[in-house]
Amino acid sequence: MAIRGNDVADASASLGRQTTELLQQLIRNAAVNDGSPDSGHEIRQVRTLQAFFEGSGLEGVVVEPHPGRGNLVIRIPGTDPHAPSLALLGHTDVVPVEPAGWERDPFGAEIVDDVLWGRGAIDMLDLTAAYAVVTRQIARSGFRPRGDLVFAAVADEENGGHYGAGWLTEHRLELIDADYVLTESGGAPAGSRPAIGVMIGEKGQAPRTLRVTGVPGHGSAPWGSRNAAVIAAEAISRISRFRTPTVITPQWHAYAAALELGADVTAALQSPERLYEGLPATGRLQGFAHASTHTTISPNVVHAGEKHNVIPGEATIRLDIRVLPDVDAAEIEGYIREALGDLLEHIRIEGDLIVPSTVSPVETPLFDVLRSAVRRARPAAELLPMLAAGGTDGRFYRARGIPAYGFGVLSDRWDYGTFRTLFHGHNERIDLDSIALTADALDFTVREFLGRDHGVRLPR
Ligand SMILES: [Zn+2]
């Protein structure tokens, strides 16, 4: 039995090594998405992945909705058309860096003391690389999945998925469609057991623009003027002070308990009346704790004035609004109106788009397999279903009723506070242990979920 144990350890170490090497290449390709259509250049990632799959018998389909914005989708057909299929959904773009804030080359993919540095190391080229390694391994090993296995390396997640998962959902659904989906931002441990975070859903979005009207005039005589910039400043200040209702979701209730901050703090964090009392004790997780329990309104883009000697007659404020489950457009309008009060005389609220929050059920055969996968490395671990504050491509599936989970397994050196700080932050990096743990858990999950009969027969 000892020999068999070593075989398993060797196999997962090899998956880890392959993932590390591929991750380094993906980081070095610097597929930086700055939000403009001609950025990203994810086609470089597609070429790297195609080279990686060469000789495995897997080719896949390349889709390029805009020059350079490449997506690669590979489907390994299952043997049973009624068995559930599984998609591994990884984005290949990364957010820009501010090089001055980094201690190492953000696109060097250096390994120092068993830690791999670079933009995309945790968001989410590590997972995209692991998905590719697991998919290739499945093909090479001759394993025949019962349901389809889909590997999707998609562009543009960091700017809404317009050239990636969103586009594919709208125009080429047959390529990426699946009954279950795994994607990013799970895996951080919490508490002593530990509990391993799985993102089962995310908040929604409802961007709004405020148009401020003042009276233009000469900048040399500001007394008594109605300067749109001054009105906008007051509006921003009121919005930042405004408190939307505190809502304790089931996910937050469980997460607060998993933090193990003592009975009194936990009770405060689980109480709509006492939440703000408990927030300071959550340390680096304060922002997440607040976002998990509130629909948030953040004034992030402000414009006023053109010329230094002209009092501006117009200003605009763009609000990033992230909505909890079951919050509708009328409630959002109500929050803004209440926050602005008498300033509404000078301000018009524009926009009515609402992308609702999406949440997947946890009573699924895939969730059970994820629990077993985590327990291979951490026998006492429980899964902690979480709601992400930000957005992922998982929403395109959840919106169609398909369970999508953000899944991974990070090592003991991580907590969700550290994870969130590095996400889109300086010095993004991942330890090689976490890469190996995640690759092993994904390999187990794919084989277990697609290899066994879970009693689910889907109509086709
Ligand atoms: Zn991401």
mmCIF file with all atom_site columns, all heavy atoms in Angstrom, residues 91 93-95 122-125 127 157-158 183-185 391-393 423-424 428, ligand 1:
data_model
loop_
_atom_site.group_PDB
_atom_site.id
_atom_site.type_symbol
_atom_site.label_atom_id
_atom_site.label_alt_id
_atom_site.label_comp_id
_atom_site.label_asym_id
_atom_site.label_entity_id
_atom_site.label_seq_id
_atom_site.pdbx_PDB_ins_code
_atom_site.Cartn_x
_atom_site.Cartn_y
_atom_site.Cartn_z
_atom_site.occupancy
_atom_site.B_iso_or_equiv
_atom_site.pdbx_formal_charge
_atom_site.auth_seq_id
_atom_site.auth_comp_id
_atom_site.auth_asym_id
_atom_site.auth_atom_id
_atom_site.pdbx_PDB_model_num
ATOM   1   N  N   . HIS A 1 91  ? -10.207 32.050 -17.441 1.00 0.00 ? 91  HIS A N   1
ATOM   2   C  CA  . HIS A 1 91  ? -9.887  33.192 -18.298 1.00 0.00 ? 91  HIS A CA  1
ATOM   3   C  C   . HIS A 1 91  ? -8.380  33.310 -18.464 1.00 0.00 ? 91  HIS A C   1
ATOM   4   O  O   . HIS A 1 91  ? -7.606  32.835 -17.624 1.00 0.00 ? 91  HIS A O   1
ATOM   5   C  CB  . HIS A 1 91  ? -10.554 34.486 -17.821 1.00 0.00 ? 91  HIS A CB  1
ATOM   6   C  CG  . HIS A 1 91  ? -10.085 35.063 -16.519 1.00 0.00 ? 91  HIS A CG  1
ATOM   7   N  ND1 . HIS A 1 91  ? -8.915  35.780 -16.412 1.00 0.00 ? 91  HIS A ND1 1
ATOM   8   C  CD2 . HIS A 1 91  ? -10.652 35.081 -15.284 1.00 0.00 ? 91  HIS A CD2 1
ATOM   9   C  CE1 . HIS A 1 91  ? -8.785  36.216 -15.163 1.00 0.00 ? 91  HIS A CE1 1
ATOM   10  N  NE2 . HIS A 1 91  ? -9.822  35.796 -14.449 1.00 0.00 ? 91  HIS A NE2 1
ATOM   11  N  N   . ASP A 1 93  ? -6.929  36.422 -19.645 1.00 0.00 ? 93  ASP A N   1
ATOM   12  C  CA  . ASP A 1 93  ? -6.469  37.809 -19.544 1.00 0.00 ? 93  ASP A CA  1
ATOM   13  C  C   . ASP A 1 93  ? -6.126  38.141 -18.099 1.00 0.00 ? 93  ASP A C   1
ATOM   14  O  O   . ASP A 1 93  ? -6.516  37.425 -17.178 1.00 0.00 ? 93  ASP A O   1
ATOM   15  C  CB  . ASP A 1 93  ? -7.530  38.780 -20.089 1.00 0.00 ? 93  ASP A CB  1
ATOM   16  C  CG  . ASP A 1 93  ? -8.871  38.684 -19.364 1.00 0.00 ? 93  ASP A CG  1
ATOM   17  O  OD1 . ASP A 1 93  ? -9.247  37.574 -18.934 1.00 0.00 ? 93  ASP A OD1 1
ATOM   18  O  OD2 . ASP A 1 93  ? -9.555  39.721 -19.217 1.00 0.00 ? 93  ASP A OD2 1
ATOM   19  N  N   . VAL A 1 94  ? -5.367  39.214 -17.940 1.00 0.00 ? 94  VAL A N   1
ATOM   20  C  CA  . VAL A 1 94  ? -5.006  39.698 -16.598 1.00 0.00 ? 94  VAL A CA  1
ATOM   21  C  C   . VAL A 1 94  ? -5.240  41.213 -16.562 1.00 0.00 ? 94  VAL A C   1
ATOM   22  O  O   . VAL A 1 94  ? -5.334  41.862 -17.601 1.00 0.00 ? 94  VAL A O   1
ATOM   23  C  CB  . VAL A 1 94  ? -3.527  39.391 -16.249 1.00 0.00 ? 94  VAL A CB  1
ATOM   24  C  CG1 . VAL A 1 94  ? -3.280  37.893 -16.212 1.00 0.00 ? 94  VAL A CG1 1
ATOM   25  C  CG2 . VAL A 1 94  ? -2.567  40.098 -17.200 1.00 0.00 ? 94  VAL A CG2 1
ATOM   26  N  N   . VAL A 1 95  ? -5.307  41.761 -15.347 1.00 0.00 ? 95  VAL A N   1
ATOM   27  C  CA  . VAL A 1 95  ? -5.471  43.216 -15.210 1.00 0.00 ? 95  VAL A CA  1
ATOM   28  C  C   . VAL A 1 95  ? -4.101  43.898 -15.286 1.00 0.00 ? 95  VAL A C   1
ATOM   29  O  O   . VAL A 1 95  ? -3.074  43.256 -15.062 1.00 0.00 ? 95  VAL A O   1
ATOM   30  C  CB  . VAL A 1 95  ? -6.209  43.602 -13.908 1.00 0.00 ? 95  VAL A CB  1
ATOM   31  C  CG1 . VAL A 1 95  ? -7.644  43.115 -13.936 1.00 0.00 ? 95  VAL A CG1 1
ATOM   32  C  CG2 . VAL A 1 95  ? -5.485  43.084 -12.681 1.00 0.00 ? 95  VAL A CG2 1
ATOM   33  N  N   . ILE A 1 122 ? -2.684  34.251 -9.223  1.00 0.00 ? 122 ILE A N   1
ATOM   34  C  CA  . ILE A 1 122 ? -3.892  33.737 -8.558  1.00 0.00 ? 122 ILE A CA  1
ATOM   35  C  C   . ILE A 1 122 ? -5.171  34.116 -9.299  1.00 0.00 ? 122 ILE A C   1
ATOM   36  O  O   . ILE A 1 122 ? -6.237  33.590 -8.999  1.00 0.00 ? 122 ILE A O   1
ATOM   37  C  CB  . ILE A 1 122 ? -3.995  34.193 -7.073  1.00 0.00 ? 122 ILE A CB  1
ATOM   38  C  CG1 . ILE A 1 122 ? -3.954  35.716 -6.944  1.00 0.00 ? 122 ILE A CG1 1
ATOM   39  C  CG2 . ILE A 1 122 ? -2.926  33.536 -6.236  1.00 0.00 ? 122 ILE A CG2 1
ATOM   40  C  CD1 . ILE A 1 122 ? -4.343  36.208 -5.548  1.00 0.00 ? 122 ILE A CD1 1
ATOM   41  N  N   . ASP A 1 123 ? -5.083  35.044 -10.246 1.00 0.00 ? 123 ASP A N   1
ATOM   42  C  CA  . ASP A 1 123 ? -6.287  35.525 -10.946 1.00 0.00 ? 123 ASP A CA  1
ATOM   43  C  C   . ASP A 1 123 ? -6.077  35.501 -12.440 1.00 0.00 ? 123 ASP A C   1
ATOM   44  O  O   . ASP A 1 123 ? -5.690  36.481 -13.026 1.00 0.00 ? 123 ASP A O   1
ATOM   45  C  CB  . ASP A 1 123 ? -6.624  36.945 -10.488 1.00 0.00 ? 123 ASP A CB  1
ATOM   46  C  CG  . ASP A 1 123 ? -7.856  37.488 -11.180 1.00 0.00 ? 123 ASP A CG  1
ATOM   47  O  OD1 . ASP A 1 123 ? -8.594  36.699 -11.781 1.00 0.00 ? 123 ASP A OD1 1
ATOM   48  O  OD2 . ASP A 1 123 ? -8.071  38.710 -11.146 1.00 0.00 ? 123 ASP A OD2 1
ATOM   49  N  N   . MET A 1 124 ? -6.444  34.406 -13.033 1.00 0.00 ? 124 MET A N   1
ATOM   50  C  CA  . MET A 1 124 ? -6.572  33.065 -12.540 1.00 0.00 ? 124 MET A CA  1
ATOM   51  C  C   . MET A 1 124 ? -5.781  32.113 -13.415 1.00 0.00 ? 124 MET A C   1
ATOM   52  O  O   . MET A 1 124 ? -6.200  31.033 -13.760 1.00 0.00 ? 124 MET A O   1
ATOM   53  C  CB  . MET A 1 124 ? -8.069  32.641 -12.533 1.00 0.00 ? 124 MET A CB  1
ATOM   54  C  CG  . MET A 1 124 ? -8.679  32.631 -13.947 1.00 0.00 ? 124 MET A CG  1
ATOM   55  S  SD  . MET A 1 124 ? -10.396 31.981 -14.074 1.00 0.00 ? 124 MET A SD  1
ATOM   56  C  CE  . MET A 1 124 ? -10.240 30.248 -13.738 1.00 0.00 ? 124 MET A CE  1
ATOM   57  N  N   . LEU A 1 125 ? -4.608  32.594 -13.882 1.00 0.00 ? 125 LEU A N   1
ATOM   58  C  CA  . LEU A 1 125 ? -3.820  31.768 -14.803 1.00 0.00 ? 125 LEU A CA  1
ATOM   59  C  C   . LEU A 1 125 ? -3.381  30.468 -14.131 1.00 0.00 ? 125 LEU A C   1
ATOM   60  O  O   . LEU A 1 125 ? -3.155  29.464 -14.810 1.00 0.00 ? 125 LEU A O   1
ATOM   61  C  CB  . LEU A 1 125 ? -2.609  32.556 -15.316 1.00 0.00 ? 125 LEU A CB  1
ATOM   62  C  CG  . LEU A 1 125 ? -2.947  33.879 -16.028 1.00 0.00 ? 125 LEU A CG  1
ATOM   63  C  CD1 . LEU A 1 125 ? -1.671  34.561 -16.518 1.00 0.00 ? 125 LEU A CD1 1
ATOM   64  C  CD2 . LEU A 1 125 ? -3.902  33.649 -17.197 1.00 0.00 ? 125 LEU A CD2 1
ATOM   65  N  N   . LEU A 1 127 ? -5.247  28.572 -12.283 1.00 0.00 ? 127 LEU A N   1
ATOM   66  C  CA  . LEU A 1 127 ? -6.334  27.613 -12.510 1.00 0.00 ? 127 LEU A CA  1
ATOM   67  C  C   . LEU A 1 127 ? -6.456  27.254 -13.987 1.00 0.00 ? 127 LEU A C   1
ATOM   68  O  O   . LEU A 1 127 ? -6.657  26.092 -14.339 1.00 0.00 ? 127 LEU A O   1
ATOM   69  C  CB  . LEU A 1 127 ? -7.651  28.197 -12.000 1.00 0.00 ? 127 LEU A CB  1
ATOM   70  C  CG  . LEU A 1 127 ? -7.780  28.194 -10.470 1.00 0.00 ? 127 LEU A CG  1
ATOM   71  C  CD1 . LEU A 1 127 ? -8.887  29.132 -10.027 1.00 0.00 ? 127 LEU A CD1 1
ATOM   72  C  CD2 . LEU A 1 127 ? -8.047  26.787 -9.958  1.00 0.00 ? 127 LEU A CD2 1
ATOM   73  N  N   . GLU A 1 157 ? -12.331 38.305 -19.412 1.00 0.00 ? 157 GLU A N   1
ATOM   74  C  CA  . GLU A 1 157 ? -13.115 38.219 -18.173 1.00 0.00 ? 157 GLU A CA  1
ATOM   75  C  C   . GLU A 1 157 ? -12.983 39.499 -17.373 1.00 0.00 ? 157 GLU A C   1
ATOM   76  O  O   . GLU A 1 157 ? -13.905 39.911 -16.681 1.00 0.00 ? 157 GLU A O   1
ATOM   77  C  CB  . GLU A 1 157 ? -12.642 37.018 -17.328 1.00 0.00 ? 157 GLU A CB  1
ATOM   78  C  CG  . GLU A 1 157 ? -13.542 36.703 -16.135 1.00 0.00 ? 157 GLU A CG  1
ATOM   79  C  CD  . GLU A 1 157 ? -13.276 37.546 -14.891 1.00 0.00 ? 157 GLU A CD  1
ATOM   80  O  OE1 . GLU A 1 157 ? -12.187 38.137 -14.773 1.00 0.00 ? 157 GLU A OE1 1
ATOM   81  O  OE2 . GLU A 1 157 ? -14.164 37.616 -14.026 1.00 0.00 ? 157 GLU A OE2 1
ATOM   82  N  N   . GLU A 1 158 ? -11.798 40.132 -17.475 1.00 0.00 ? 158 GLU A N   1
ATOM   83  C  CA  . GLU A 1 158 ? -11.521 41.307 -16.641 1.00 0.00 ? 158 GLU A CA  1
ATOM   84  C  C   . GLU A 1 158 ? -12.226 42.563 -17.136 1.00 0.00 ? 158 GLU A C   1
ATOM   85  O  O   . GLU A 1 158 ? -12.097 43.620 -16.531 1.00 0.00 ? 158 GLU A O   1
ATOM   86  C  CB  . GLU A 1 158 ? -10.005 41.546 -16.556 1.00 0.00 ? 158 GLU A CB  1
ATOM   87  C  CG  . GLU A 1 158 ? -9.229  40.406 -15.905 1.00 0.00 ? 158 GLU A CG  1
ATOM   88  C  CD  . GLU A 1 158 ? -9.533  40.226 -14.416 1.00 0.00 ? 158 GLU A CD  1
ATOM   89  O  OE1 . GLU A 1 158 ? -10.359 40.984 -13.877 1.00 0.00 ? 158 GLU A OE1 1
ATOM   90  O  OE2 . GLU A 1 158 ? -8.944  39.321 -13.813 1.00 0.00 ? 158 GLU A OE2 1
ATOM   91  N  N   . THR A 1 183 ? -14.830 27.292 -11.862 1.00 0.00 ? 183 THR A N   1
ATOM   92  C  CA  . THR A 1 183 ? -14.075 28.465 -12.267 1.00 0.00 ? 183 THR A CA  1
ATOM   93  C  C   . THR A 1 183 ? -13.345 29.051 -11.074 1.00 0.00 ? 183 THR A C   1
ATOM   94  O  O   . THR A 1 183 ? -13.005 28.318 -10.137 1.00 0.00 ? 183 THR A O   1
ATOM   95  C  CB  . THR A 1 183 ? -14.974 29.465 -13.040 1.00 0.00 ? 183 THR A CB  1
ATOM   96  O  OG1 . THR A 1 183 ? -14.181 30.512 -13.565 1.00 0.00 ? 183 THR A OG1 1
ATOM   97  C  CG2 . THR A 1 183 ? -16.080 30.043 -12.156 1.00 0.00 ? 183 THR A CG2 1
ATOM   98  N  N   . GLU A 1 184 ? -13.116 30.374 -11.074 1.00 0.00 ? 184 GLU A N   1
ATOM   99  C  CA  . GLU A 1 184 ? -12.104 30.946 -10.193 1.00 0.00 ? 184 GLU A CA  1
ATOM   100 C  C   . GLU A 1 184 ? -12.560 31.352 -8.799  1.00 0.00 ? 184 GLU A C   1
ATOM   101 O  O   . GLU A 1 184 ? -13.740 31.415 -8.500  1.00 0.00 ? 184 GLU A O   1
ATOM   102 C  CB  . GLU A 1 184 ? -11.516 32.196 -10.870 1.00 0.00 ? 184 GLU A CB  1
ATOM   103 C  CG  . GLU A 1 184 ? -12.513 33.314 -11.022 1.00 0.00 ? 184 GLU A CG  1
ATOM   104 C  CD  . GLU A 1 184 ? -11.906 34.504 -11.740 1.00 0.00 ? 184 GLU A CD  1
ATOM   105 O  OE1 . GLU A 1 184 ? -10.766 34.873 -11.448 1.00 0.00 ? 184 GLU A OE1 1
ATOM   106 O  OE2 . GLU A 1 184 ? -12.593 35.075 -12.598 1.00 0.00 ? 184 GLU A OE2 1
ATOM   107 N  N   . SER A 1 185 ? -11.546 31.657 -8.020  1.00 0.00 ? 185 SER A N   1
ATOM   108 C  CA  . SER A 1 185 ? -11.536 32.388 -6.746  1.00 0.00 ? 185 SER A CA  1
ATOM   109 C  C   . SER A 1 185 ? -12.004 31.618 -5.512  1.00 0.00 ? 185 SER A C   1
ATOM   110 O  O   . SER A 1 185 ? -12.294 32.216 -4.490  1.00 0.00 ? 185 SER A O   1
ATOM   111 C  CB  . SER A 1 185 ? -12.207 33.770 -6.876  1.00 0.00 ? 185 SER A CB  1
ATOM   112 O  OG  . SER A 1 185 ? -13.589 33.729 -6.760  1.00 0.00 ? 185 SER A OG  1
ATOM   113 N  N   . GLY A 1 391 ? -17.320 40.108 -9.703  1.00 0.00 ? 391 GLY A N   1
ATOM   114 C  CA  . GLY A 1 391 ? -17.956 39.275 -10.719 1.00 0.00 ? 391 GLY A CA  1
ATOM   115 C  C   . GLY A 1 391 ? -16.984 38.281 -11.328 1.00 0.00 ? 391 GLY A C   1
ATOM   116 O  O   . GLY A 1 391 ? -15.786 38.511 -11.351 1.00 0.00 ? 391 GLY A O   1
ATOM   117 N  N   . THR A 1 392 ? -17.503 37.148 -11.793 1.00 0.00 ? 392 THR A N   1
ATOM   118 C  CA  . THR A 1 392 ? -16.698 36.188 -12.556 1.00 0.00 ? 392 THR A CA  1
ATOM   119 C  C   . THR A 1 392 ? -17.527 35.711 -13.750 1.00 0.00 ? 392 THR A C   1
ATOM   120 O  O   . THR A 1 392 ? -18.732 35.968 -13.825 1.00 0.00 ? 392 THR A O   1
ATOM   121 C  CB  . THR A 1 392 ? -16.309 34.939 -11.724 1.00 0.00 ? 392 THR A CB  1
ATOM   122 O  OG1 . THR A 1 392 ? -17.474 34.098 -11.587 1.00 0.00 ? 392 THR A OG1 1
ATOM   123 C  CG2 . THR A 1 392 ? -15.790 35.308 -10.342 1.00 0.00 ? 392 THR A CG2 1
ATOM   124 N  N   . ASP A 1 393 ? -16.878 34.967 -14.640 1.00 0.00 ? 393 ASP A N   1
ATOM   125 C  CA  . ASP A 1 393 ? -17.592 34.406 -15.789 1.00 0.00 ? 393 ASP A CA  1
ATOM   126 C  C   . ASP A 1 393 ? -18.610 33.350 -15.375 1.00 0.00 ? 393 ASP A C   1
ATOM   127 O  O   . ASP A 1 393 ? -19.457 32.953 -16.169 1.00 0.00 ? 393 ASP A O   1
ATOM   128 C  CB  . ASP A 1 393 ? -16.591 33.781 -16.768 1.00 0.00 ? 393 ASP A CB  1
ATOM   129 C  CG  . ASP A 1 393 ? -15.914 34.834 -17.642 1.00 0.00 ? 393 ASP A CG  1
ATOM   130 O  OD1 . ASP A 1 393 ? -16.466 35.938 -17.785 1.00 0.00 ? 393 ASP A OD1 1
ATOM   131 O  OD2 . ASP A 1 393 ? -14.829 34.528 -18.191 1.00 0.00 ? 393 ASP A OD2 1
ATOM   132 N  N   . PHE A 1 423 ? -5.216  39.924 -5.128  1.00 0.00 ? 423 PHE A N   1
ATOM   133 C  CA  . PHE A 1 423 ? -6.109  39.917 -6.295  1.00 0.00 ? 423 PHE A CA  1
ATOM   134 C  C   . PHE A 1 423 ? -6.152  41.332 -6.885  1.00 0.00 ? 423 PHE A C   1
ATOM   135 O  O   . PHE A 1 423 ? -6.601  42.269 -6.231  1.00 0.00 ? 423 PHE A O   1
ATOM   136 C  CB  . PHE A 1 423 ? -7.516  39.526 -5.815  1.00 0.00 ? 423 PHE A CB  1
ATOM   137 C  CG  . PHE A 1 423 ? -8.190  38.501 -6.676  1.00 0.00 ? 423 PHE A CG  1
ATOM   138 C  CD1 . PHE A 1 423 ? -7.862  37.161 -6.566  1.00 0.00 ? 423 PHE A CD1 1
ATOM   139 C  CD2 . PHE A 1 423 ? -9.165  38.873 -7.590  1.00 0.00 ? 423 PHE A CD2 1
ATOM   140 C  CE1 . PHE A 1 423 ? -8.499  36.209 -7.351  1.00 0.00 ? 423 PHE A CE1 1
ATOM   141 C  CE2 . PHE A 1 423 ? -9.797  37.925 -8.376  1.00 0.00 ? 423 PHE A CE2 1
ATOM   142 C  CZ  . PHE A 1 423 ? -9.466  36.587 -8.248  1.00 0.00 ? 423 PHE A CZ  1
ATOM   143 N  N   . HIS A 1 424 ? -5.631  41.501 -8.095  1.00 0.00 ? 424 HIS A N   1
ATOM   144 C  CA  . HIS A 1 424 ? -5.542  42.814 -8.749  1.00 0.00 ? 424 HIS A CA  1
ATOM   145 C  C   . HIS A 1 424 ? -4.565  43.749 -8.032  1.00 0.00 ? 424 HIS A C   1
ATOM   146 O  O   . HIS A 1 424 ? -4.492  44.926 -8.358  1.00 0.00 ? 424 HIS A O   1
ATOM   147 C  CB  . HIS A 1 424 ? -6.914  43.511 -8.856  1.00 0.00 ? 424 HIS A CB  1
ATOM   148 C  CG  . HIS A 1 424 ? -7.872  42.791 -9.762  1.00 0.00 ? 424 HIS A CG  1
ATOM   149 N  ND1 . HIS A 1 424 ? -8.994  43.381 -10.293 1.00 0.00 ? 424 HIS A ND1 1
ATOM   150 C  CD2 . HIS A 1 424 ? -7.861  41.529 -10.242 1.00 0.00 ? 424 HIS A CD2 1
ATOM   151 C  CE1 . HIS A 1 424 ? -9.652  42.506 -11.035 1.00 0.00 ? 424 HIS A CE1 1
ATOM   152 N  NE2 . HIS A 1 424 ? -8.980  41.371 -11.020 1.00 0.00 ? 424 HIS A NE2 1
ATOM   153 N  N   . GLU A 1 428 ? 1.382   40.091 -6.871  1.00 0.00 ? 428 GLU A N   1
ATOM   154 C  CA  . GLU A 1 428 ? 0.559   38.881 -6.973  1.00 0.00 ? 428 GLU A CA  1
ATOM   155 C  C   . GLU A 1 428 ? 1.475   37.664 -7.075  1.00 0.00 ? 428 GLU A C   1
ATOM   156 O  O   . GLU A 1 428 ? 2.468   37.673 -7.798  1.00 0.00 ? 428 GLU A O   1
ATOM   157 C  CB  . GLU A 1 428 ? -0.336  38.992 -8.223  1.00 0.00 ? 428 GLU A CB  1
ATOM   158 C  CG  . GLU A 1 428 ? -1.343  37.868 -8.349  1.00 0.00 ? 428 GLU A CG  1
ATOM   159 C  CD  . GLU A 1 428 ? -2.286  38.065 -9.553  1.00 0.00 ? 428 GLU A CD  1
ATOM   160 O  OE1 . GLU A 1 428 ? -2.356  39.187 -10.100 1.00 0.00 ? 428 GLU A OE1 1
ATOM   161 O  OE2 . GLU A 1 428 ? -2.928  37.081 -9.946  1.00 0.00 ? 428 GLU A OE2 1
HETATM 162 ZN ZN  . ZN  B 2 .   ? -10.255 36.402 -12.463 1.00 0.00 ? 1   ZN  B ZN  1
#
